[in-house]
Amino acid sequence: MDETTPSPSKEKKLWRGIFAVSGIMSTLVVYGLLQEKLMRVPYGINKEFFKYSLFLVFCNRITTSAVSAGALLASKKALDPVAPIYKYGLISVSNILTTTCQYEALKYVSFPVQTLAKCAKMIPVMVWGTMIMQKRYKGSDYMLAFLVTVGCSVFILFPAGTDVSPYSRGRENTVWGVSLMAGYLGFDGFTSTFQDKLFKGYDMEIHNQIFYTTVCSCVLSFTGLILQGQLLPAIDFVSRHNDCLFDVALLSTVATLSQFFISYTIRNFGALTFAAIMTTRQLVSILLSCVWFVHPLSWQQCIGAVIVFGSLYAKSFLRKVTQKTPPAEETENRARGSSPVKENV
């Protein structure tokens, strides 16, 4: 037997891994760059800014709902709701608030600041997990959360002096941007925790939850656009700026594709591999944003980034070691409930 020749199963797994990594990295990196371009870069000769973040939410959700409905029909699975509609609606409301805060924050803080702050989402997830799921966390989890918080705080509080928002200047700009990011983290933590509760409480397919959640989001975001009088101005803006229309369509497409790659990765490689890929994606997104949109970084921000990503990579390696625990202990750990936190886009 030739030991140098990889077995077909290993080679197949390697190609699946390449497919998963390239899919997540490409879709979410493009998604992040498009977010920043739409919310911070002016369009046209008059240098107009696109200000309708709820319109982006609506476009993203209607695209995702159409694709998830197609996936359910293609797999010949029922479209009937598994859980009460109001529970889908609760996730939908929280998800809309999450995404709106995410887009609005880009008006006041740079994309690198926003991306690094997302690393702190484990803190609200731990809070909501304790309140909703009665989960228990280890001391190492709290230490990791503390280190990430310190790193994010350093990154936010010590920006380079020349990196300013196109909407406003000064400290009020940073305070409002950080407040929006805090809202994003809180709502996002609730969304993922309540999704986890629904998956465990009902025999639910992932496409079923995505479909009903995004349909509710479509209705709510469309209603919000009408009530705020933003629907016609948003349509007028994209009709006058074809490049903005293309960006919105591409943003919705990559947002939908990313959901497929996230689900594929978690199903085939587990939460640990997914977490490591997402950490790398955030690092690559920050570096590309700094180069593409010319965001200078202070030396304090570099230290903050090292603290955050160093802590997250250490967490991934430590968990890889603990996966070799005896079956009885592993069963006990799973019984406590630990599910991957998916990226809300």
Side-chain angles (χ1 to χ4, degrees):
M1 180 179 179
D2 187 2
E3 296 181 356
T4 60
T5 305
S7 63
S9 61
K10 288 185 178 181
E11 186 174 349
K12 187 177 180 180
K13 186 175 182 179
L14 173 63
W15 283 111
R16 287 204 307 262
I18 293 173
F19 176 71
V21 171
S22 59
I24 288 179
M25 294 290 288
S26 59
T27 55
L28 290 181
V29 167
V30 171
Y31 177 81
L33 293 175
L34 284 171
Q35 278 186 82
E36 185 163 18
K37 182 183 178 184
L38 279 162
M39 303 307 298
R40 292 176 67 93
V41 177
Y43 288 91
I45 57 175
N46 295 325
K47 303 296 182 182
E48 298 178 80
F49 286 97
F50 184 84
K51 301 178 180 180
Y52 313 103
S53 55
L54 196 57
F55 183 75
L56 297 179
V57 176
F58 173 71
C59 292
N60 288 357
R61 298 304 178 263
I62 198 170
T63 304
T64 306
S65 62
V67 172
S68 58
L72 285 171
L73 292 173
S75 59
K76 298 181 179 180
K77 293 177 181 176
L79 283 174
D80 299 330
V82 178
I85 293 294
Y86 79 89
K87 293 191 175 182
Y88 294 106
L90 194 57
I91 294 177
S92 177
V93 170
S94 179
N95 187 257
I96 287 177
L97 292 172
T98 297
T99 312
T100 302
C101 286
Q102 175 179 322
Y103 288 139
E104 288 294 314
L106 279 174
K107 296 178 180 179
Y108 306 100
V109 297
S110 67
F111 180 76
V113 170
Q114 186 200 72
T115 302
L116 199 77
K118 286 181 181 181
C119 297
K121 70 167 58 180
M122 67 185 67
I123 300 168
V125 166
M126 289 170 69
V127 173
W128 287 117
T130 302
M131 294 174 60
I132 297 176
M133 305 286 288
Q134 286 78 50
K135 289 184 179 180
R136 292 179 295 169
Y137 298 94
K138 299 177 182 179
S140 58
D141 293 323
Y142 290 105
M143 177 58 69
L144 177 65
F146 172 75
L147 290 173
V148 170
T149 302
V150 170
C152 289
S153 300
V154 170
F155 198 91
I156 292 170
L157 294 175
F158 297 95
T162 55
D163 193 17
V164 296
S165 165
Y167 288 85
S168 60
R169 298 170 183 267
R171 187 169 181 80
E172 290 182 1
N173 165 49
T174 302
V175 171
W176 184 233
V178 171
S179 299
L180 286 167
M181 283 308 303
Y184 162 82
L185 291 172
F187 291 125
D188 185 55
F190 175 83
T191 301
S192 57
T193 305
F194 201 74
Q195 283 178 321
D196 186 19
K197 187 177 179 67
L198 282 191
F199 276 125
K200 291 183 177 179
Y202 300 90
D203 185 16
M204 182 181 294
E205 289 284 339
I206 187 169
H207 288 296
N208 182 280
Q209 186 181 114
I210 291 175
F211 173 71
Y212 279 99
T213 300
T214 52
V215 165
C216 290
S217 296
C218 287
V219 174
L220 292 172
S221 57
F222 183 79
T223 303
L225 286 169
I226 296 295
L227 293 177
Q228 295 178 21
Q230 291 186 354
L231 180 61
L232 293 180
I235 294 175
D236 176 68
F237 189 97
V238 297
S239 65
R240 288 186 291 108
H241 302 286
N242 291 332
D243 50 344
C244 181
L245 177 62
F246 175 79
D247 290 341
V248 171
L250 185 57
L251 182 77
S252 300
T253 301
V254 296
T256 301
L257 287 174
S258 68
Q259 293 296 325
F260 164 76
F261 285 112
I262 288 170
S263 301
Y264 178 86
T265 303
I266 293 173
R267 186 180 300 114
N268 287 278
F269 300 98
L272 179 62
T273 301
F274 171 68
I277 295 172
M278 290 303 295
T279 301
T280 305
R281 192 277 301 182
Q282 288 168 326
L283 179 58
V284 171
S285 295
I286 288 176
L287 294 175
L288 280 178
S289 178
C290 289
V291 173
W292 195 278
F293 296 103
V294 196
H295 293 301
L297 293 180
S298 64
W299 65 269
Q300 294 98 330
Q301 286 182 310
C302 292
I303 292 175
V306 169
I307 293 173
V308 171
F309 288 111
S311 301
L312 293 174
Y313 279 119
K315 171 189 173 184
S316 297
F317 286 122
L318 288 174
R319 284 195 175 179
K320 188 174 183 179
V321 173
T322 56
Q323 279 186 339
K324 299 177 181 179
T325 55
E329 184 178 347
E330 186 175 336
T331 304
E332 181 183 350
N333 290 335
R334 287 183 179 178
R336 292 178 181 175
S338 178
S339 66
V341 179
K342 293 179 63 177
E343 178 88 352
N344 281 306
V345 295

